[in-house]
Amino acid sequence: MEGLSAVASVMAVTSLAFQLAESIHKVSKFWDSIQRAPEDINDIKSELQFLRTLLEQIGHEAPHYPSGASTLSALRLCSGKIDTIKSLTAGFEAGLTASRTRTRIFSALRAVLKREEIERVQVSLDRLKATLMLVLINDIG
């Protein structure tokens, strides 16, 4: 039974890691569409790509290393943070869609975004990175 439990845990970690990577990819599409963005928006783009890479690495490496319940717990925590980022992004995207512009430029985005909302995305990304790095260090690496 213990072997079966370990296999189920690895499958859960692998599946969740790839699901989260796909969620990050979908969110990234919006941020990547912003042209002539200032540095803080470009930082968000880079951090989303880095997070996707980390999640994919966890998904690929999980079958090769025993990952404990802490990995699954960390990924579930990340899922909540990704939901927050998706929610904030959806609000930004809705504001831009309402303006009916085909080319998303930062001047249009500036009218929709509030500085504190951008900071909330950045804080969520920082927390996600820290959590995933701990997973890689403790459970996989």
Side-chain angles (χ1 to χ4, degrees):
M1 280 292 170
E2 191 174 304
L4 198 55
S5 175
V7 169
S9 177
V10 167
M11 288 175 59
V13 166
T14 301
S15 175
L16 186 53
F18 285 124
Q19 287 173 13
L20 295 175
E22 182 59 27
S23 290
I24 290 289
H25 176 67
K26 288 177 182 175
V27 169
S28 294
K29 286 180 182 180
F30 165 75
W31 293 99
D32 288 341
S33 72
I34 300 170
Q35 300 172 2
R36 293 182 293 220
E39 186 176 340
D40 54 353
I41 300 299
N42 287 327
D43 288 346
I44 289 172
K45 292 178 187 183
S46 298
E47 289 182 29
L48 285 168
Q49 181 57 43
F50 178 68
L51 284 171
R52 182 176 178 203
T53 301
L54 282 177
L55 287 162
E56 289 173 346
Q57 182 177 352
I58 290 168
H60 286 298
E61 292 183 11
H64 306 291
Y65 299 97
S67 46
S70 62
T71 303
L72 195 52
S73 294
L75 289 175
R76 287 183 179 139
L77 180 66
C78 288
S79 179
K81 294 291 180 204
I82 290 170
D83 287 344
T84 299
I85 293 168
K86 284 171 33 180
S87 175
L88 289 167
T89 300
F92 301 155
E93 200 166 15
L96 283 179
T97 303
S99 69
R100 294 185 179 176
T101 57
R102 291 199 97 209
T103 303
R104 294 178 180 161
I105 57 174
F106 187 71
S107 59
L109 185 63
R110 191 178 303 134
V112 177
L113 297 181
K114 295 180 182 166
R115 181 77 208 146
E116 56 270 3
E117 290 174 328
I118 292 174
E119 289 173 2
R120 282 183 60 199
V121 171
Q122 290 171 322
V123 166
S124 290
L125 288 170
D126 286 342
R127 289 181 181 161
L128 275 169
K129 286 190 304 188
T131 301
L132 293 176
M133 293 303 288
L134 286 172
V135 165
L136 287 171
I137 291 168
N138 290 326
D139 287 347
I140 295 178

